Amino acid sequence: MTPARLLPARRRRARTAVAALAAGLLLLAAPAASAVPAHPAAPAALSEAADPAGPPPLTDGFGLTQVGTATGSATNFVITVTTPQVAGQHTIRILLPADYAQHPERRYPVLYFLHGASDNPSDPALAYPALTAAQSMITVIPDGGLRGWYTDWLDQGTAAGAQNWETFHLNQVLPFVDANLRTRTDRAHRAVGGLSMGGFGALHYAQDRPELFGQVLTMSGANDLSTDEMILRGAVVAMLTNAGTVLCGPSDGRPCGFDYGPTVSSDAIFGTPYPVFNADWRWNAADPASRLALLAHTGIAVYTGNGNGNPADMEFWAEGTAKRVKDRLDALKLPYHYVDYGDGTGWGADCHGGHTAGCWAQDLVDYVPRLEAAFAAAP
């Protein structure tokens, strides 16, 4: 077949893909139904009682400068930092084992836990009970932005300013934590996990830097950005372009939950999302589901519900990506821990199968003991 005959077919496929993308813009533009509000919460000092012992002092470094004082307790606290890599101020929540101060000779493994879109570590609700109850590991919850997507954006010249999230986390936050806290610094004692947008981030980081992380967790994750999941591409584009703000109507004094910050181009993070003549190659290159072979020596855990079969619930789409990840891991003959709790029956009192904090809290009840056991078994 000649190129001239191929062109109409390609155009038809492109139109179909664009239509799918447009259908997803408003459907999945809504913030994840999580335990935190749609916009950054008030400073943690306003919502958490101070502990007389206070958080341990941390020293600036690796491009991070602390702003103000840490807030919270000695084992559950928030610091605020600035960095040239990402515009603005950014919170980092740190959870220490209860006996951290009593054992100055002990070093601990670390879980880097990545939040979803619209979340902010300043909200205490992100310190899920299973994380605060952990006795043998440190948990670090860094700010990933309302729609940072755990990536160094392709376009650094947008109204949002510098957006080098991957550099911020892996080249700055990680060594900052290792320098200031008693951590185990080998990959066998370091994990990365996340929910929703953070599920993508966890897989993305573990695949980009396999020398850093020995375990990876994705809960209700955006695990597939390929053309197999144009609906998820649509969700990312909606966040960038604030397409959902038309649904907010007249202001009642509250911020619009569909406003993710300065409006930027749909191409800002991964270039054009439209699959025309392979113009979307950066999206495909970042797609976690197609890069699973990079996790050959990494412990993998995947959790999902089914959104009760409702396409208006983001979990409906998350389940599709989770199943695709499972199928590809099976094809690669890689071991993994996989849980599909369906409509949430039997999966905690507050899980009903949706894209909600009640399900994620139960995911962590199941996962954290497994992770601590894996850390303990590592040499």
Side-chain angles (χ1 to χ4, degrees):
M1 185 178 292
T2 66
R5 291 175 179 171
L6 279 171
L7 187 56
R10 286 176 174 170
R11 284 177 175 163
R12 284 194 299 272
R13 287 196 295 270
R15 283 196 298 270
T16 300
V18 170
L21 179 57
L25 287 179
L26 298 184
L27 176 62
L28 293 183
S34 70
V36 297
H39 283 268
L46 300 180
S47 55
E48 297 181 79
D51 187 318
L58 306 178
T59 303
D60 291 350
F62 305 95
L64 301 185
T65 301
Q66 294 173 83
V67 177
T69 59
T71 58
S73 72
T75 58
N76 181 355
F77 58 93
V78 174
I79 64 171
T80 301
V81 301
T82 60
T83 168
Q85 296 299 329
V86 186
Q89 297 183 0
H90 305 283
T91 53
I92 303 171
R93 182 173 292 273
I94 298 176
L95 308 177
L96 302 178
D99 64 352
Y100 181 86
Q102 283 71 54
H103 296 281
E105 79 291 346
R106 185 177 301 172
R107 290 189 171 274
Y108 297 84
V110 185
L111 165 64
Y112 286 86
F113 187 65
L114 311 181
H115 63 73
S118 294
D119 291 349
N120 188 292
S122 66
D123 192 296
L126 270 185
Y128 286 90
L131 297 176
T132 59
Q135 293 301 302
S136 62
M137 72 179 191
I138 296 168
T139 299
V140 178
I141 309 174
D143 185 17
L146 298 180
R147 43 132 194 235
W149 282 94
Y150 299 99
T151 301
D152 289 355
W153 288 21
L154 177 65
D155 187 353
Q156 296 292 319
T158 73
Q163 299 288 302
N164 290 309
W165 293 97
E166 185 167 358
T167 296
F168 169 46
H169 293 141
L170 302 188
N171 294 356
Q172 296 185 309
V173 174
L174 192 150
F176 172 86
V177 168
D178 284 344
N180 279 286
L181 300 173
R182 299 192 310 275
T183 62
R184 301 284 297 269
T185 59
D186 58 301
R187 74 180 298 270
H189 292 93
R190 188 187 291 123
V192 61
L195 60 88
S196 195
M197 177 180 78
F200 163 82
L203 290 173
H204 181 64
Y205 286 177
Q207 291 168 337
D208 273 8
R209 299 291 298 277
E211 78 279 9
L212 293 179
F213 303 104
Q215 302 284 335
V216 63
L217 159 71
T218 175
M219 306 188 315
S220 305
N223 305 316
D224 192 336
L225 293 184
S226 74
T227 52
D228 292 329
E229 280 294 346
M230 291 300 290
I231 201 79
L232 291 186
R233 287 197 188 186
V236 179
V237 170
M239 293 176 189
L240 295 174
T241 61
N242 288 317
T245 56
V246 296
L247 301 179
C248 289
S251 173
D252 57 3
R254 294 179 297 177
C256 175
F258 297 95
D259 185 346
Y260 292 86
T263 298
V264 299
S265 164
S266 62
D267 301 359
I269 302 182
F270 303 112
T272 178
Y274 303 106
V276 180
F277 301 119
N278 200 38
D280 62 334
W281 66 270
R282 291 185 180 87
W283 288 80
N284 298 323
D287 168 35
S290 64
R291 305 171 69 210
L292 294 170
L294 295 172
L295 302 178
H297 304 291
T298 303
I300 305 167
V302 181
Y303 292 81
T304 186
N306 65 10
N308 290 288
N310 180 8
D313 190 315
M314 190 171 183
E315 198 67 17
F316 174 89
W317 303 98
E319 184 188 44
T321 73
K323 288 180 175 179
R324 193 168 296 114
V325 165
K326 181 181 185 299
D327 289 345
R328 292 181 181 177
L329 289 172
D330 285 338
L332 291 166
K333 299 184 178 353
L334 295 181
Y336 57 88
H337 177 64
Y338 181 87
V339 177
D340 187 337
Y341 44 83
D343 65 3
T345 301
W347 196 248
D350 297 320
C351 177
H352 306 288
H355 205 66
T356 63
C359 296
W360 300 326
Q362 188 61 32
D363 294 352
L364 291 168
V365 167
D366 183 76
Y367 179 71
V368 168
R370 295 174 183 276
L371 178 60
E372 290 189 297
F375 282 153

